[in-house]
């Protein structure tokens, strides 16, 4: 007699994603034995080491708990349906590492500051990267390798030969293709655990809050002032941590803005007049520099997710690649800041191109 078993979401990794399994059986106990025979990885989710059904696993026959019906040896009828319902706390499903994941993340798991719990936090975390360019590429590579479970990428640009000097997610065969698509393919090759979500659009006052709301941390790899102020204001309004980075020629900057602890406007209340600060395409950038700054951003994002160490919150890291100097400058939240101050004037996103006095054309270096 064929019996159908409902497999809850936390266990589907052991059934190749299948939510219903059919077995031939006459009693509940036979159903469970046949189920684990078909899917041996389920055995430790169902039975303890004495072969008894786990205390924290509920077994239901046609929506009735099996013990209320007489136990595991009751006779089943054709058409009966079983469901395995594990106890869960707080609505968040526990991640069970696969053997491959234990090997993949072993160097993290043995660190006491990360451990199995930290690795699970990374796997559950969602990081949004603004731009798959010079900063976004190295940040994405290390966040993906670290097992950040969801990486969102905002980019509408296409790969150009001049990008390959530093944008390490892209290769020769990607020239002319969308950067977001190229980034997704490269990440899949590094770590198939990562779900890459593409936002192939320019971040704007119309879409920024909607895109950012689904993420835990934002990593900013943009190269223009309107987007920099837009991302900062959007993170303040959404209460999201922002890991900021910027580069030009041989100089890099990085910092972390935690909610309530200051923002980009506290540091730079107004952008420089248009034309006074050149872009990387005008002034150049040493290719390895965004690699270093982007890796620092990945490092800070991981610390924010894990809640370990001291992040760059309240400090601006200033890096001179030519003289090999790192400086850390203190940052303070400005109580008069129009975005994150005590009486903020900015309560919704504004016209950032107008604010910065530049035409509306955003590109990521
Ligand atoms: Zn501020």
């Amino acid at each position: 007699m064929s019996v159908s078993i409902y497999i809850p979401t936390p266990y589907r990794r052991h059934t190749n994603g299948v939510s219903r399994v059919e077995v031939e059986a006459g009693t509940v106990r036979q159903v469970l034995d046949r189920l684990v025979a078909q899917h041996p990885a389920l055995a430790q989710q169902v039975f303890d080491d004495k072969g008894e059904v786990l205390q924290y696993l509920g077994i239901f026959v046609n929506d009735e708990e099996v013990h209320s019906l007489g136990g595991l040896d009751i006779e089943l009828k054709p058409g009966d349906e079983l469901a395995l319902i594990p106890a869960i706390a707080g609505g968040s499903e526990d991640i069970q590492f696969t053997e491959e994941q234990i090997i993949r993340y072993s160097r993290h798991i043995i660190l006491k500051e990360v451990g199995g719990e930290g690795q699970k936090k990374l796997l559950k975390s969602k990081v949004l990267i603004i731009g798959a360019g010079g900063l976004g590429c190295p940040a994405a590579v290390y966040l993906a390798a670290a097992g950040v479970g969801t990486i969102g990428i905002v980019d509408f640009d296409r790969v150009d030969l001049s990008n390959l000097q530093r944008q390490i997610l892209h290769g020769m065969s990607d020239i002319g293709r969308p950067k977001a698509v190229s980034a997704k393919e490269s990440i899949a090759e590094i770590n198939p655990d990562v779900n890459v979500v593409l936002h192939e659009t320019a971040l704007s006052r119309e879409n920024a809050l909607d895109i950012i709301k689904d993420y835990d941390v934002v990593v900013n790899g943009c190269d223009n002032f309107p987007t920099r102020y837009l991302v900062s204001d959007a993170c303040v309004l959404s209460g999201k941590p922002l890991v900021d980075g910027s580069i030009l020629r041989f100089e890099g900057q990085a910092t972390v803005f935690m909610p309530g602890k200051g923002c980009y406007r506290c540091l730079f209340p107004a952008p420089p007049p248009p034309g006074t600060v050149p872009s990387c395409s005008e002034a150049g950038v040493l290719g390895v520099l965004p690699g270093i700054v982007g890796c620092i951003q990945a490092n800070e994002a991981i610390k924010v997710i894990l809640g370990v160490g001291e992040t760059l919150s309240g400090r601006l890291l200033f890096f001179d690649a030519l003289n090999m100097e790192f400086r850390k400058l203190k940052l303070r939240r400005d109580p008069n800041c129009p975005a994150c101050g005590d009486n903020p004037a900015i309560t919704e996103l504004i016209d950032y191109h107008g604010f910065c006095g530049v035409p509306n054309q955003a590109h990521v270096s």
Side-chain angles (χ1 to χ4, degrees):
M1 180 175 60
S2 181
V3 179
S4 163
I5 310 144
Y6 170 78
I7 308 296
T9 52
Y11 293 177
R12 285 182 203 163
R13 67 178 65 235
H14 306 301
T15 59
N16 301 319
V18 170
S19 61
R20 266 170 218 286
V21 175
E22 300 279 334
V23 297
E24 291 291 323
T27 67
V28 175
R29 198 181 294 275
Q30 286 171 3
V31 169
L32 297 177
D33 288 341
R34 308 260 154 90
L35 174 67
V36 300
Q38 269 188 35
H39 300 285
L42 267 180
Q44 60 181 23
Q45 312 298 333
V46 177
F47 297 114
D48 64 16
D49 44 16
K50 292 182 189 124
E52 302 290 332
V53 173
L54 293 168
Q55 298 278 323
Y56 49 85
L57 178 67
I59 295 168
F60 290 73
V61 179
N62 303 330
D63 302 334
E64 304 248 13
E65 208 281 318
V66 71
H67 291 99
S68 70
L69 298 171
L72 296 177
D73 294 312
I74 59 165
E75 297 283 331
L76 294 169
K77 300 181 297 299
D80 278 352
E81 191 179 85
L82 264 72
L84 305 183
I85 306 295
I88 51 175
S92 85
E93 73 184 52
D94 190 30
I95 293 174
Q96 305 284 337
F97 291 126
T98 62
E99 279 178 42
E100 187 185 311
Q101 286 175 319
I102 290 171
I103 297 167
R104 175 182 286 276
Y105 304 119
S106 57
R107 305 307 193 268
H108 270 170
I109 292 169
I110 58 174
L111 290 173
K112 79 171 169 43
E113 291 81 359
V114 183
E117 287 311 303
Q119 189 60 53
K120 289 176 185 178
K121 276 189 196 171
L122 289 170
L123 285 165
K124 287 179 189 169
S125 70
K126 298 177 179 183
V127 176
L128 181 68
I129 300 177
I130 315 291
L135 295 168
C137 282
V141 165
Y142 277 99
L143 292 173
V148 166
T150 301
I151 295 180
I153 294 177
V154 184
D155 202 302
F156 65 100
D157 215 353
R158 286 178 183 269
V159 179
D160 182 82
L161 179 59
S162 67
N163 300 149
L164 301 189
Q165 169 245 25
R166 63 202 178 283
Q167 299 185 14
I168 58 172
L169 285 172
H170 319 302
M172 287 300 289
S173 59
D174 297 313
I175 290 172
R177 301 178 70 220
K179 286 185 183 178
V181 174
S182 160
K184 181 171 181 154
E185 290 172 3
S186 299
I187 289 171
E189 182 67 16
I190 296 165
N191 188 350
D193 285 347
V194 182
N195 172 33
V196 180
V197 179
L198 299 185
H199 306 278
E200 292 184 76
T201 177
L203 202 69
S204 69
R205 65 187 293 194
E206 286 80 21
N207 63 22
L209 294 175
D210 197 44
I211 291 174
I212 286 174
K213 73 173 176 4
D214 294 329
Y215 294 90
D216 306 316
V217 181
V218 177
V219 171
N220 197 358
C222 82
D223 78 334
N224 63 84
F225 289 109
T227 309
R228 203 161 285 286
Y229 282 94
L230 165 64
V231 171
S232 177
D233 286 356
C235 285
V236 169
L237 291 172
S238 333
K240 303 286 183 181
L242 170 59
V243 182
D244 212 16
S246 50
I247 44 162
L248 188 65
R249 304 188 72 235
F250 298 96
E251 186 193 310
Q253 299 175 5
T255 187
V256 174
F257 297 113
M258 294 301 287
K261 299 275 174 69
C263 75
Y264 191 72
R265 287 179 188 272
C266 298
L267 176 59
F268 300 116
T276 56
V277 177
S279 68
C280 288
S281 59
E282 293 160 349
V285 61
L286 187 71
V288 69
L289 175 68
I292 294 166
V293 176
C295 285
I296 289 170
Q297 290 180 274
N299 185 58
E300 295 303 291
I302 287 170
K303 281 156 57 186
V304 169
I305 293 163
L306 295 177
V308 299
E310 267 187 58
T311 69
L312 284 171
S313 176
R315 298 180 294 173
L316 175 69
L317 182 73
F318 179 95
F319 173 50
D320 175 345
L322 209 52
N323 294 331
M324 209 55 211
E325 278 186 80
F326 283 94
R327 288 159 200 250
K328 279 184 287 191
L329 311 169
K330 279 192 186 133
L331 297 184
R332 285 206 177 81
R333 172 179 166 271
D334 176 1
N336 297 314
C337 172
C340 75
D342 296 338
N343 295 296
I346 296 169
T347 53
E348 58 184 22
L349 298 177
I350 62 167
D351 171 10
Y352 293 90
H353 292 90
F355 173 70
C356 296
V358 294
N360 187 351
Q361 47 170 198
H363 280 278
V364 171
S365 66

